[in-house]
């Protein structure tokens, strides 16, 4: 299990930067323009995304609203390694999704510990509730 932590440069909860009206294609185009000698193929390879998929997002021939959040975070990390300042918030807003709160090792470990103490039926119910909360947050 990969544990995602907030990184320096992530906005604090409640402190939203001014929102740009960019979709994912525009965001990626702007960020790629900030690095020399890096291409869509480089981004796809380093972020673990197939090049045809990334290219379809860039050409707006494939929808972006259902992209796995980990793929969005992976692209953020690649750009940061390349020296580009960006945040998960920019990526989530570009695909029209609510920005997940930062997670931390302690909070996730506590949640996992509690989950493991529940009977199996309650674990299933908790997962179902969490999935419903996620769906509601995507709509609202």
């Amino acid at each position: 299990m990969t544990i995602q932590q907030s990184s320096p440069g992530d906005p604090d909860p409640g402190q939203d930067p001014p929102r740009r009206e960019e979709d994912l294609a525009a965001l990626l185009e702007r960020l790629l323009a900030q690095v020399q000698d890096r291409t869509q193929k480089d981004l796809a390879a380093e972020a673990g995304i197939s090049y045809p998929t990334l290219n379809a997002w860039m050409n707006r021939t494939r929808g972006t609203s259902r992209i796995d959040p980990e793929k969005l975070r992976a692209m953020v990390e690649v750009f940061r390694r390349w020296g580009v300042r960006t945040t998960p918030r920019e990526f989530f807003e570009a695909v029209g999704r609510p920005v997940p709160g930062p997670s931390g090792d302690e909070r996730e470990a506590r949640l996992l510990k509690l989950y493991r103490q529940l009977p199996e039926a309650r674990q299933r119910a908790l997962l179902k509730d969490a999935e419903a909360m996620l769906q509601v947050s995507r709509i609202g």
Side-chain angles (χ1 to χ4, degrees):
M1 174 172 84
T2 301
I3 296 177
Q4 192 69 31
Q5 297 182 42
S6 61
S7 302
D10 285 351
D12 293 328
Q15 290 188 333
D16 295 342
R19 180 168 178 184
R20 297 177 195 267
E21 294 298 326
E22 302 181 287
D23 65 1
L24 184 63
L27 174 65
L28 292 173
E29 186 174 311
R30 178 173 59 83
L31 297 178
L32 281 167
Q34 295 179 37
V35 290
Q36 291 184 326
D37 302 324
R38 299 294 183 158
T39 66
Q40 287 181 33
K41 286 185 180 183
D42 297 325
L43 176 60
E46 290 192 41
I49 300 166
S50 76
Y51 173 70
T53 296
L54 180 67
N55 188 260
W57 294 337
M58 294 286 298
N59 291 317
R60 296 178 179 93
T61 58
R62 182 173 184 168
T64 59
S65 64
R66 300 185 75 146
I67 297 174
D68 181 341
E70 293 308 313
K71 298 284 187 206
L72 296 172
R73 287 186 175 105
M75 289 189 284
V76 170
E77 291 308 313
V78 169
F79 279 112
R80 286 178 173 175
R81 281 197 308 270
W82 292 350
V84 176
R85 292 192 61 182
T86 188
T87 65
R89 176 172 301 282
E90 285 185 292
F91 278 77
F92 281 87
E93 287 180 349
V95 298
R97 303 254 298 275
V99 182
S103 58
D105 290 341
E106 288 181 27
R107 192 177 340 162
E108 288 181 354
R110 182 170 175 235
L111 181 60
L112 185 57
K113 184 177 179 181
L114 292 169
Y115 174 82
R116 287 178 175 162
Q117 293 175 28
L118 292 171
E120 186 176 352
R122 295 283 184 184
Q123 288 178 346
R124 282 195 301 270
L126 182 59
L127 288 174
K128 190 172 182 179
D129 288 346
E131 289 168 347
M133 285 191 295
L134 182 59
Q135 288 298 326
V136 168
S137 72
R138 287 182 177 162
I139 295 169

